[in-house]
Amino acid sequence: MEPDAETREDLLDVLGEYVARGGVAPLLAQPVEPGDAAFPEPWAPTPSGVRQLMRRLAWHAGLDREVEIEDRRAGAVPTERKPATRVELLEVRRKSALFALGFIGEDDIAGTLAHEIGVAHAVLHRPDGVDPYRTAEAPVIAVDPAVDLERGSIATVYLGLGVLAANAARQQHSIHERTNFNPMLVTSTGVQIESGYLPVESLVYLVAVQAALRGEKKPPAGLVPTQRRQVAAVLEELDGEKLRDRLGIPRDAVGARRPAVERFKDAQLTADEGVARNAFRWNTSRKGVGTILGTVLGFSVSLIASRGLLPIFTIGGAGVGHMVGRRVRVPRCSACATVNAPGAATCVKCGAVFRGDIEHLSERLDAEERLDDS
């Protein structure tokens, strides 16, 4: 759904401020597309990998600051079915920008980080009158959430990172979950993740505005299918020349040509000590296996003794096997369902650190929340 008229005007006002301060060249340049061509550096889900990706995004955006990453990882949020990447800009210094890394997920990381690069631009280009006592020589400028966050997501479009930001604003993922009653049974479930500081509809509108300003009739390359369809629908209703007049852009203005992308010569990944994942010893049993073995044994005995007693022996064997199996305790990892030795401190498969015992997998989230509160 397209944003209402008032919201559209607010978005254009901020975009116009960026044009007035920094010129029209970044906005009219070809938007950055996701992929190896624009991001040639090596990647790994580590702080050094995040830093390399953030450096490249800053390079695309023309942000003249070194990227510093403060590792604050503490594991995934226990209530999130698919934990999202968490990175936030803390402050901008004279020569660097400091970002806090909270978690590295398996989602659209580049798009998520693009929003934070936009926030850095917003911090450096605040509207007049917001902070009359700050000068251009301020050694450190902290992020003001009330002023910088939404303007930062708008800045992604101005800087050419709008396609990345729009893709990350609403993501559709499919995850596989084990059922509570049987760890071997897995179901596929759809999960939606949202990133950035604007609704996806606002970013879709801004990406369409940029395309109209560039004289394009089709959405820019690199958009995911849903966002691409939405941009195409909005673009049909826009008039590029009227938008240029609205933003104070000359009719004959053209965008800057993006420089060729070459891998950073000093790009390298460093070892990551990692952050221990929390889990619990999930005390399961062999009652399922016992039931099956008891049923087979009872069936076999009935064939030897008397076929007329087959139902009795089969049902009786299943019951006895179930009771015996319940007595056999099998600790499993609540994170990956792998069988571990009784009293194990860490999972032999995923390396999670066991923080206690639970009787049912459904108790895991409550146990993790109690652990966080302690």
Side-chain angles (χ1 to χ4, degrees), residues 77-355:
V77 177
T79 55
E80 291 184 353
R81 301 173 73 183
K82 184 177 180 64
T85 297
R86 300 194 308 276
V87 178
E88 62 176 321
L89 175 69
L90 297 179
E91 59 190 29
V92 179
R93 302 166 181 171
R94 286 178 178 172
K95 295 183 178 181
S96 64
L98 177 63
F99 300 86
L101 171 61
F103 183 75
I104 305 173
E106 297 178 350
D107 51 344
D108 189 339
I109 299 175
T112 299
L113 301 186
H115 285 276
E116 300 306 318
I117 293 295
V119 173
H121 183 85
V123 168
L124 294 171
H125 299 83
R126 285 175 175 163
D128 294 333
V130 170
D131 192 356
Y133 299 104
R134 180 175 67 84
T135 69
E137 300 300 322
V140 177
I141 310 174
V143 174
D144 184 343
V147 176
D148 301 322
L149 298 187
E150 289 188 0
R151 290 172 57 86
S153 286
I154 297 172
T156 61
V157 178
Y158 172 75
L159 298 171
L161 306 180
V163 169
L164 300 168
N167 285 345
R170 181 174 295 161
Q171 310 165 44
Q172 304 295 337
H173 296 272
S174 178
I175 63 172
H176 299 289
E177 294 182 320
R178 292 182 174 87
T179 59
N180 290 341
F181 58 87
N182 187 346
M184 303 306 294
L185 182 61
V186 177
T187 60
S188 180
T189 306
V191 175
Q192 181 173 286
I193 295 178
E194 295 184 350
S195 178
Y197 306 105
L198 282 178
V200 65
E201 292 80 10
S202 294
L203 279 166
V204 161
Y205 173 74
L206 288 171
V207 171
V209 166
Q210 183 184 35
L213 292 171
R214 287 173 41 81
E216 303 287 350
K217 301 301 181 183
K218 296 181 179 180
L223 287 167
V224 296
T226 300
Q227 276 82 319
R228 181 177 179 82
R229 289 192 297 270
Q230 293 173 344
V231 169
V234 176
L235 185 56
E236 290 181 355
E237 306 297 325
L238 297 178
D239 185 320
E241 292 187 351
K242 289 183 178 180
L243 284 170
R244 285 191 173 222
D245 294 340
R246 169 68 172 79
L247 297 174
I249 300 174
R251 296 287 181 91
D252 59 350
V254 295
R257 181 181 296 274
R258 292 198 174 277
V261 178
E262 297 182 1
R263 176 173 166 170
F264 295 133
K265 294 181 179 180
D266 60 346
Q268 59 180 350
L269 300 175
T270 57
D272 179 25
E273 296 181 357
V275 177
R277 183 182 186 184
N278 291 331
F280 299 89
R281 286 181 294 270
W282 168 28
N283 292 315
T284 63
S285 67
R286 293 295 190 188
K287 59 185 179 182
V289 175
T291 300
I292 295 174
L293 292 178
T295 301
V296 173
L297 180 60
F299 179 80
S300 301
V301 171
S302 68
L303 294 179
I304 298 173
S306 172
R307 292 181 180 272
L309 298 176
L310 188 148
I312 297 176
F313 276 96
T314 301
I315 296 174
V320 172
H322 180 83
M323 294 177 62
V324 173
R326 288 184 61 181
R327 295 177 178 272
V328 180
R329 308 304 293 172
V330 181
R332 293 180 180 270
C333 173
S334 65
C336 67
T338 299
V339 175
N340 283 264
T346 60
C347 177
V348 295
K349 181 179 180 181
C350 70
V353 177
F354 292 132
R355 301 298 186 183

